[in-house]
Amino acid sequence: MDRRDIFPRALQYLIAIAEQGSYTRAAETLHVSQPTLSQQIKQLEDYLQSPLLDRSGRTVQLTDAGKIYVRHARRAWGELNTGTRAIHDVKNLSRGSLRLGWTPITDYLTCSLLANYNSRYPGITLSTLDMPQDEIESAISEARVDIGITFSKPTGPEELSGPTETFTLFEEALYLAVGRVHPRAKRRKRMSAQEFGMESLVQLNTDFALRHHIDRYCHDHAIEPHNAIETNSLTVIIEMVELGLLATVLPSTIINTQSGLYAIEVSPELPHHTVSLIWNKSGYKSPACLAFLELASDWSSHLLQEKRIQ
Amino acid sequence: MDRRDIFPRALQYLIAIAEQGSYTRAAETLHVSQPTLSQQIKQLEDYLQSPLLDRSGRTVQLTDAGKIYVRHARRAWGELNTGTRAIHDVKNLSRGSLRLGWTPITDYLTCSLLANYNSRYPGITLSTLDMPQDEIESAISEARVDIGITFSKPTGPEELSGPTETFTLFEEALYLAVGRVHPRAKRRKRMSAQEFGMESLVQLNTDFALRHHIDRYCHDHAIEPHNAIETNSLTVIIEMVELGLLATVLPSTIINTQSGLYAIEVSPELPHHTVSLIWNKSGYKSPACLAFLELASDWSSHLLQEKRIQ
DNA sequence: TTAAACCCATAGGAGTTAACTATGGATCGA
DNA sequence: TCGATCCATAGTTAACTCCTATGGGTTTAA
């Protein structure tokens, strides 16, 4: 009898005896002695307060109670075996789950990463939770999400004080974005910080890191653009910019994917901002999580390579 | 921790820890020491070759693998508990099965017993297997049926050589049965053995004990009735007798239930025959089986009482 | 009918397993 | 940084499982 089996021996014995119709033969196939089976079955019958096997005849038969109990015992055994297999599936990344926390605007930038991950590990359930920048970190530390995707401070991936680790996915420049009817849409020449300060903007609200980067830039350059609209919806921003005279600040990636938006370079350069992954350094990282981090690393370096080629 | 549980302790521990989010609290509710849990979980993780619990945080959390495995473990536990309850159902006679072996003609006599049993224990699956008299005994000893209903030898419930036990349900007299157009149907006076020997009969074939009883009677009284038809179907016998000039020998119970049949007493009396239950003395008797025997005993004594009242 | 063969139950002893107590190391809050 | 809390480890004891040896009962064959 293999020691390496969590399922109760007495039940395995019962099932084997029922199959073989004999204690002696079951003992042989199980590689235990026959008295072991006698004893174990006795204990089992004692526990269930009911005879399970009829030893009176030529062959050992299940009693009514035995028939019924064996059926359930088999199912229970099957459950545990299935559970064991499922665990190995998790390690093979054919099952599992991964919870990402990110700010709404991030999906423009990283959904190709998600698509990549999903196509490679289709069994993993991906869930993304929209949350403000601030909440991502606490969600990480409370293990409500496995990995966060954040806009980190423009100075780069500083070491955060918390028990988290970060990895810079990519860094990109910010530009002023204007719609077709905006005066500056015609001649998209570089503008100065002072000119930028004269614009009327539709901006993300202060929940968002991107907004903080911009505010910092304005403060640093002693300018104060007019914030005509604040919103937490990127869609609103894009629509407002496309339709009217308002401008906004967005990463080039987003501007370029929207046909109605035009990027205008500001000088001195608007802050670069970096998109980073953030996760718990000390906590348990599921296989699904580790696989994501690895894939993200690959994806990030490919991205760099493409930029160099451009 | 209650020793009286077949379900693997390590899994109960795992489930408890997952519920409580803490080894210490789980140990308290389980009434075991905390190191016991540490050790058991360690072994379980070792066996599954996968961490199940994440102890890094403030509260202990299931890992992906742990979540999956716990789900299966719960189901397995549920199965075994269900199995235990099902056994008690069997003992309560709210479940179970009973296989009766009998000869086709017996149902005229004992179906009220069956109906009684079924109404009292509706959860028991009753199955009746038609088989020749000879086969009933072997079916009993081979445990293909639980209880047989037989026509025993007219001398009464002799002790049979085999490992079987019998119980006489009732005893009844045999009569010559004739149809409406039979010459003897008009004046149903007693007839002699010699007169009986002149009859043309439709009889059961020699598979049936009843036939043997009649043959023995004829042999003892040196008479030889003409067997016009032999059959194994009681229906054929009754129809042939009702329609024609043939007679037969049947127990009074059957004759009286058939409006087209008339009973004629023979002198000296045709053998009484007894309807008996037969079952395995030494073998396992299911609760359903024991309940049937008990009910049959009651039913039999009520029958005797009714006869006395008549 | 008796002897041999077969099968399951019982008894007692050896090895393994699971429980406990005591203690160490790590983490979280104050 | 200290105290509190929590899980892990070590060592010991109790319990359990398994084994061998043997007995009782039934079946088969001579």
Side-chain angles (χ1 to χ4, degrees), chain A residues 49 54 56 72 79 90-91, chain B residues 49 68 72 79 91 283-284:
Chain A
Q49 302 184 324
D54 171 18
S56 64
H72 291 281
E79 272 305 330
V90 169
K91 295 208 290 193
Chain B
Q49 301 186 324
I68 290 172
H72 291 282
E79 274 303 331
K91 297 209 292 194
Y284 161 76

Side-chain angles (χ1 to χ4, degrees), chain A residues 4 6 8 47 49-50 54 56 63-64 68 71-72 75 79 82-83 86-87 90-91 95 97 283-284 286, chain B residues 4 6 8 47 49-50 54 56 63-64 68-69 71-72 75-76 79 82-83 86-87 90-91 95 97 283-284:
Chain A
R4 305 186 159 284
I6 196 77
Y47 159 67
Q49 302 184 324
S50 177
D54 171 18
S56 64
T63 63
D64 278 7
I68 288 172
R71 191 158 57 235
H72 291 281
R75 276 192 223 142
E79 272 305 330
T82 305
I87 281 185
V90 169
K91 295 208 290 193
R95 293 181 63 180
S97 63
Y284 163 77
S286 72
Chain B
R4 308 181 158 284
I6 195 76
Y47 159 67
Q49 301 186 324
S50 178
D54 172 17
S56 64
T63 64
D64 276 7
I68 290 172
Y69 196 73
R71 190 158 59 238
H72 291 282
R75 278 194 221 139
E79 274 303 331
T82 306
I87 282 184
V90 170
K91 297 209 292 194
R95 292 180 64 180
S97 63
Y284 161 76

Side-chain angles (χ1 to χ4, degrees), chain B:
Chain B
M1 177 77 262
D2 193 357
R3 279 286 189 303
R4 308 181 158 284
D5 197 335
I6 195 76
F7 195 68
R9 300 291 216 333
L11 300 187
Q12 298 188 38
Y13 295 165
L14 173 68
I15 290 170
I17 293 167
E19 276 173 0
Q20 304 281 338
S22 155
Y23 279 58
T24 308
R25 247 171 305 147
E28 284 165 11
T29 62
L30 292 167
H31 303 109
V32 294
S33 67
Q34 170 267 312
T36 299
L37 301 191
S38 292
Q39 186 189 13
Q40 287 294 304
I41 295 299
K42 191 172 151 66
Q43 286 180 18
L44 184 58
E45 289 179 332
D46 218 52
Y47 159 67
L48 292 170
Q49 301 186 324
S50 178
L52 300 171
L53 291 168
D54 172 17
R55 298 95 154 156
S56 64
R58 188 88 190 82
T59 68
V60 177
Q61 294 277 335
L62 286 169
T63 64
D64 276 7
K67 283 196 198 99
I68 290 172
Y69 196 73
V70 160
R71 190 158 59 238
H72 291 282
R74 280 184 196 280
R75 278 194 221 139
W77 199 359
E79 274 303 331
L80 294 187
N81 286 331
T82 306
T84 305
R85 265 185 283 112
I87 282 184
H88 295 121
D89 286 351
V90 170
K91 297 209 292 194
N92 294 338
L93 293 166
S94 56
R95 292 180 64 180
S97 63
L98 185 64
R99 299 160 303 174
L100 298 177
W102 61 10
T103 56
I105 57 167
T106 325
D107 53 1
Y108 278 83
L109 311 172
T110 55
C111 59
S112 85
L113 173 57
L114 286 211
N116 198 331
Y117 183 82
N118 183 248
S119 70
R120 188 176 304 195
Y121 308 116
I124 307 286
T125 304
L126 264 179
S127 58
T128 65
L129 298 164
D130 288 349
M131 52 183 71
Q133 177 80 16
D134 298 335
E135 205 181 328
I136 290 182
E137 267 189 61
S138 58
I140 290 282
S141 64
E142 291 162 21
R144 283 186 284 117
V145 303
D146 299 307
I147 296 175
I149 303 180
T150 70
F151 286 61
S152 29
K153 298 200 180 79
T155 48
E158 305 177 348
E159 198 57 36
L160 291 167
S161 60
T164 55
E165 205 166 357
T166 63
F167 171 78
T168 301
L169 273 181
F170 54 82
E171 182 178 320
E172 61 182 1
L174 296 179
Y175 295 94
L176 187 76
V178 297
R180 186 186 306 274
V181 299
H182 192 279
R184 293 194 175 271
K186 306 271 155 55
R187 291 169 53 240
R188 300 198 287 281
K189 66 170 189 183
R190 178 186 299 175
M191 69 196 298
S192 69
Q194 274 64 35
E195 286 171 312
F196 173 67
M198 308 299 287
E199 291 292 330
S200 284
L201 301 177
V202 46
Q203 286 222 73
L204 289 166
N205 66 31
T206 52
D207 283 339
F208 292 87
L210 178 58
R211 170 64 180 277
H212 286 297
H213 306 164
I214 297 165
D215 286 350
R216 161 75 71 77
Y217 176 88
C218 294
H219 179 263
D220 287 348
H221 293 81
I223 56 177
E224 200 166 339
H226 172 56
N227 290 321
I229 300 177
E230 279 190 354
T231 177
N232 64 353
S233 161
L234 185 63
T235 310
V236 168
I237 291 174
I238 291 171
E239 285 193 13
M240 292 307 299
V241 171
E242 282 180 348
L243 293 175
L245 298 176
L246 297 176
T248 192
V249 176
L250 285 175
S252 54
T253 318
I254 295 182
I255 299 175
N256 294 335
T257 59
Q258 300 298 122
S259 57
L261 295 188
Y262 301 92
I264 297 172
E265 200 178 337
V266 178
S267 177
E269 207 174 28
L270 282 167
H272 284 202
H273 83 159
T274 59
V275 175
S276 300
L277 300 184
I278 175 175
W279 66 91
N280 206 312
K281 183 160 46 184
S282 55
Y284 161 76
K285 283 177 283 298
S286 71
C289 181
L290 292 170
F292 187 87
L293 293 177
E294 191 180 331
L295 184 67
S297 168
D298 292 345
W299 183 77
S300 155
S301 56
H302 274 103
L303 224 61
L304 277 175
Q305 224 168 346
E306 281 176 16
K307 276 201 176 164
R308 267 193 225 104
I309 290 167
Q310 284 175 359

